[in-house]
Amino acid sequence: MAAFLQKTPDLPDADAYEVEKLEQLAVALQLRVDGDVRFDQYTKMLYSTDASVFQIMPLGVVLPRSEDDVQCVLEHAAEFHVPVLPRGGGSSLAGQAVGAALVMDFSRYMNEILDLDVEAGILDVQPGKNLFGANQKLKRHGWMIGPDPASANRATIGGCVGNNSAGSHSILYGMMVDNVLATEVFLADGSKAHFRDIRPDAIEALVPPDSLESRIYHKLAELVQIHQDNVLQDWPRHWRRTSGYALDRIIPPLQPEITPARLYLDSPLVPEVVCNRDANYLNLSNLMVGSEGTLGVVTRIKMGLVPLPRHTGLAILHFDSVIEACTAVVDVLSVAPSASELLDKQLMDLARAQPGWDRRLFFVQGDPAAVLLTEFYGETEHEVQLKLAHLAAHLQRRKWQCPIVEILDPVQQAQVWELRKASLSLLMGQRGQHKPFPGIEDVSVPAEHLADYLADILEYCSSLEDVPSTAVYAHASAGCLHVRPLLNLHTARGVDNLKLAGTYSLELARKYNGAMSGEHGDGLARSYYNETLFTPALYEALHAIKEIFDPEMRLNPGKVVDAQEPNANLRFGAGYRTAEISTVFDWSADHGWAGAIEMCNGAGVCRKVETGTMCPSYMATREEKDSTRGRANALRNALAGRIPEEELWSESMYDVLDLCLGCKACKSECPSSVDMARIKAEYLQGFHDRKGLPLFQRLMGDMPRLLRLGARWAPWALPWTNRFMSTGLARGFMSRIGIHVDRSLPRISLYRPPEGRREFPVNGTGRHALLFVDTWSQFYAPEVATAASHLLSKLGFTVQTAPDLPCCGRPYISGGQVRKAKTQANRLGLALRAHVAAGHAIVGLEPSCTLTLRDEFLDLMEDRTLAKDIAACTFTLEEFLDQFDWDLSNRLSAGEFPVWLHGHCHQKSLVGNAATVSVLGKWGFSPNEIPSGCCGMAGEFGYVAKHYAVSRAVGEDRLFPAVREIPAGATLVASGFSCREQIVHFEGRKAVHLAELLNSHFNPGEVSLKAN
């Protein structure tokens, strides 16, 4: 066990806890804890990082199911003198969620809404509840949680409480501390406390005497008496602050003459919710919020909710410099927006270069240096329009010459906010070792000092050696600036720059009455600076708070107080090296296979739930190892020698990668574009090279070749094959090679291309289309290929099929036989050369096969020029049809009718469903796009016996319930063969390919190209 524990200077590590004692602790917990107790090296390695630049191996991991489990962990931790670290989604940017401690992950089991008072707008919730998931349930009642951090789709409410999260709308709703009403907390000794509003004179009657909770109240009163003058004199004068403990929040109830407003005299732009809070009650939840788990373990949270806005509108203000944009913020705030967010040119350029994100930049005119995304609420759309007009007039009076783009459409507004919330990961998605690492990204100053602070810090960062540029985005309305110089933390210079920038930003924070953290917290990144930020006297008070709550200093040690320097315990560092691995794919654009893996920055977007597709296996299991981040973490640690190098090709590592469905959602939904499907394929090739190729993977990879051979030499045998496959003997064989006994197998049915071109009385287009008939359309769904051929002919295309075209190699890629896939890619590339040269469009039917020609081929084919040419002229059927302007005036059957659409994962990831929706809409259908995520089949994945339950759970997440809601007799469209098979297998519902739908509803002459 000790071999897997990374040493951490000055913090408790494996040397401080004998292996035998840890083993005893593990056994004791396993006997009493109802949840999961894990002390294995892989689990600890997966929990050694969060979204920060730090890495520390924990001592063990517990996933508690109940408050009893939490109490048990704390009692045993006290007995064994072991630190404890509560953790939510692990999306912390400052390193709060890592440490040499016993980690408690609340996200898997303690994630329920316990009570919702719809009338009063009060939510009672467990700490592991996903913030986005909670809001989805609140939405139907007209409520939402006010703080909206960018990480809301994967962050837990408990994590947001620990960090005192805020987000874009804090000028309306304040921070998390302004929204939490009460907390149930287990203290360091395992005793339970209920922190809520209490009048100071009622403490004796309400709190058990001779308890740790009672001692806390009395000692805090003494502490306030000692340090109230220090707070008045030296406390940071900015309301948007998470640095340190919230001593300022407990002073007014204990010293009534000190009002909240007195603490923010230098910051006139303070939200009403901050200044108008009732100071007559003492609520120690105010200390728990933002304490990063260092004062107690929160197990229940009561929060006040805010009404959903009825109408919103956005004004996108364009500026020629980021300094100019920040200077304008004060004028923008004077007209009372609900939010105003800053994006700089670097971030917008990165979004333009990312598939899927470029489409969200529709709101940018020209090439501005910065934009302010300024939002207004209103009871009616007219009221919002008036506010937007008022902003424009006000800025004109103030002589601001900034173009304004107004957006009232809710869908477009949502796309703008998606881009803003992806800012961090887009920045971290830059290729190469220079990254905009966090460190000084959270300094917060009063909005009136925003431009001055930014000018100073940008000038300083530009003076540092080996810092090519600095990225900027911000919650401008709250003065919270996310400034990120590009650092190379693989070098000593880069590590030094991290500390130099931090020290200078600390000087500026003090100069401008700000704080080192406006929402991301102290953690390992900024706790070191607290003694200087708060002055030694106030730091002594912070330290005393920690000792009052945690006398043995065992709760998440090294955070807020007693911290190491911020360049310790780094994930990388000057001595960081990775093993050289021979690969098949060309990874040069990612600086090697290791570089592609290191693109994962730990932000945990892959842990989101109830939205998007990534990551389907995590959505099904809620296990860290089954997230994209977990897989990247495991591979990176093995390559870097953080765990023994031989572990890279172990069965345990294989198990970490095993549940990746290869859906490719991470390629687009991860803003850093971590392509885990391709990373896994490369890994499996290396694994098979060393361990051998199982018969199942061999058969699945060779299936296209075997089917083609059978069709060529023994077509008469195909019907007999179908009969044999339904026998018990065949089922027994399938079971022995790893196919689940309950999985239905598709019937073979050979596609026979039509003789010559079908003639229809329509306008000829003069266009040639090569119909790329993939293996599945040729041997299992010939009706799709036949429908597509007829449809294109009806539309006036010269349709050609090439039945002898080689397979694209998709089964080889999915099964980790990349070397064979490369051979297939080169063979197919040569076969397509003449069609490309002739200008023929290559029109595909199966999304995964078609898009392989535009994705993996670019890094597999030896002739890269030909690969790019093939990619340029390859289209899915939907994309191909959507290029043209069709005349439907001669349709024989008029009128819309609804269809439901489930998009294939590869299609959604690489090109999106927009073309399918567009074609359906323009051709007279009413498309309903199901927000269904992954179907769970994923080619061979769903056939594997040990995957069957997960395959079903993935479909059950959203797709199957949505299918059950589709009216009987309505049409369900799914272009993926695997998707159609999964739906009919589990739901008994037949889905059709778009080609079948269109061909069956249109006759020759009903549709033609419009004249140019």
Side-chain angles (χ1 to χ4, degrees), residues 831-848:
L832 293 174
R833 186 192 296 273
H835 295 281
V836 173
H840 296 169
I842 303 169
V843 182
L845 303 173
E846 178 62 31
S848 60

Short mmCIF file of all heavy atoms in Angstrom, two decimals, residues 831-848:
data_model
loop_
_atom_site.label_atom_id
_atom_site.label_comp_id
_atom_site.label_asym_id
_atom_site.label_seq_id
_atom_site.Cartn_x
_atom_site.Cartn_y
_atom_site.Cartn_z
N ALA A 831 -9.26 3.37 -52.66
CA ALA A 831 -10.47 3.05 -53.42
C ALA A 831 -11.32 4.29 -53.69
O ALA A 831 -12.06 4.34 -54.68
CB ALA A 831 -11.28 2.00 -52.66
N LEU A 832 -11.21 5.29 -52.82
CA LEU A 832 -12.02 6.50 -52.99
C LEU A 832 -11.30 7.59 -53.78
O LEU A 832 -11.91 8.60 -54.12
CB LEU A 832 -12.40 7.06 -51.60
CG LEU A 832 -13.35 6.22 -50.75
CD1 LEU A 832 -13.51 6.84 -49.37
CD2 LEU A 832 -14.71 6.09 -51.43
N ARG A 833 -10.04 7.39 -54.07
CA ARG A 833 -9.25 8.45 -54.71
C ARG A 833 -9.89 8.94 -56.00
O ARG A 833 -10.00 10.15 -56.23
CB ARG A 833 -7.83 7.94 -54.98
CG ARG A 833 -6.90 9.04 -55.52
CD ARG A 833 -5.61 8.44 -56.06
NE ARG A 833 -4.84 7.79 -55.02
CZ ARG A 833 -3.96 8.43 -54.25
NH1 ARG A 833 -3.77 9.72 -54.40
NH2 ARG A 833 -3.29 7.77 -53.33
N ALA A 834 -10.32 8.02 -56.84
CA ALA A 834 -10.89 8.42 -58.14
C ALA A 834 -12.17 9.21 -57.96
O ALA A 834 -12.43 10.18 -58.68
CB ALA A 834 -11.14 7.18 -59.00
N HIS A 835 -13.01 8.82 -57.00
CA HIS A 835 -14.26 9.54 -56.76
C HIS A 835 -13.99 10.96 -56.26
O HIS A 835 -14.67 11.92 -56.64
CB HIS A 835 -15.11 8.78 -55.74
CG HIS A 835 -15.57 7.45 -56.21
ND1 HIS A 835 -16.64 7.30 -57.07
CD2 HIS A 835 -15.10 6.20 -55.96
CE1 HIS A 835 -16.83 6.02 -57.31
NE2 HIS A 835 -15.91 5.32 -56.65
N VAL A 836 -12.99 11.08 -55.41
CA VAL A 836 -12.63 12.39 -54.90
C VAL A 836 -12.12 13.27 -56.03
O VAL A 836 -12.49 14.45 -56.15
CB VAL A 836 -11.58 12.26 -53.77
CG1 VAL A 836 -11.06 13.63 -53.36
CG2 VAL A 836 -12.16 11.53 -52.58
N ALA A 837 -11.27 12.69 -56.86
CA ALA A 837 -10.71 13.45 -57.98
C ALA A 837 -11.81 13.90 -58.95
O ALA A 837 -11.71 14.98 -59.56
CB ALA A 837 -9.67 12.61 -58.72
N ALA A 838 -12.86 13.09 -59.08
CA ALA A 838 -13.96 13.43 -59.99
C ALA A 838 -14.95 14.40 -59.37
O ALA A 838 -15.91 14.82 -60.03
CB ALA A 838 -14.68 12.15 -60.42
N GLY A 839 -14.76 14.74 -58.11
CA GLY A 839 -15.66 15.68 -57.45
C GLY A 839 -16.95 15.09 -56.96
O GLY A 839 -17.92 15.82 -56.72
N HIS A 840 -17.02 13.77 -56.81
CA HIS A 840 -18.24 13.13 -56.34
C HIS A 840 -18.39 13.36 -54.83
O HIS A 840 -17.41 13.34 -54.08
CB HIS A 840 -18.19 11.62 -56.60
CG HIS A 840 -18.16 11.28 -58.05
ND1 HIS A 840 -17.90 10.01 -58.52
CD2 HIS A 840 -18.35 12.04 -59.16
CE1 HIS A 840 -17.93 10.00 -59.82
NE2 HIS A 840 -18.20 11.23 -60.25
N ALA A 841 -19.61 13.56 -54.42
CA ALA A 841 -19.89 13.62 -52.98
C ALA A 841 -20.00 12.20 -52.45
O ALA A 841 -20.64 11.34 -53.07
CB ALA A 841 -21.17 14.38 -52.73
N ILE A 842 -19.35 11.94 -51.32
CA ILE A 842 -19.45 10.64 -50.66
C ILE A 842 -20.53 10.78 -49.58
O ILE A 842 -20.36 11.53 -48.61
CB ILE A 842 -18.11 10.22 -50.03
CG1 ILE A 842 -17.02 10.19 -51.10
CG2 ILE A 842 -18.23 8.88 -49.33
CD1 ILE A 842 -15.62 10.04 -50.54
N VAL A 843 -21.65 10.09 -49.76
CA VAL A 843 -22.80 10.23 -48.87
C VAL A 843 -22.94 8.97 -48.04
O VAL A 843 -23.13 7.88 -48.59
CB VAL A 843 -24.09 10.50 -49.67
CG1 VAL A 843 -25.27 10.68 -48.72
CG2 VAL A 843 -23.92 11.72 -50.56
N GLY A 844 -22.84 9.12 -46.74
CA GLY A 844 -22.88 7.98 -45.85
C GLY A 844 -24.20 7.86 -45.11
O GLY A 844 -24.93 8.84 -44.94
N LEU A 845 -24.50 6.64 -44.64
CA LEU A 845 -25.76 6.35 -43.97
C LEU A 845 -25.57 6.09 -42.48
O LEU A 845 -26.40 6.49 -41.68
CB LEU A 845 -26.42 5.14 -44.63
CG LEU A 845 -26.68 5.27 -46.14
CD1 LEU A 845 -27.17 3.95 -46.71
CD2 LEU A 845 -27.71 6.37 -46.39
N GLU A 846 -24.51 5.40 -42.13
CA GLU A 846 -24.23 5.09 -40.73
C GLU A 846 -23.31 6.18 -40.17
O GLU A 846 -22.18 6.35 -40.64
CB GLU A 846 -23.56 3.73 -40.61
CG GLU A 846 -23.17 3.34 -39.20
CD GLU A 846 -24.37 3.21 -38.26
OE1 GLU A 846 -25.47 2.84 -38.72
OE2 GLU A 846 -24.18 3.49 -37.05
N PRO A 847 -23.76 6.96 -39.18
CA PRO A 847 -22.96 8.10 -38.72
C PRO A 847 -21.55 7.73 -38.28
O PRO A 847 -20.59 8.42 -38.63
CB PRO A 847 -23.79 8.66 -37.56
CG PRO A 847 -25.19 8.26 -37.87
CD PRO A 847 -25.09 6.92 -38.52
N SER A 848 -21.39 6.66 -37.53
CA SER A 848 -20.06 6.33 -37.01
C SER A 848 -19.10 5.99 -38.14
O SER A 848 -17.93 6.39 -38.13
CB SER A 848 -20.14 5.18 -36.02
OG SER A 848 -20.69 4.02 -36.62
#
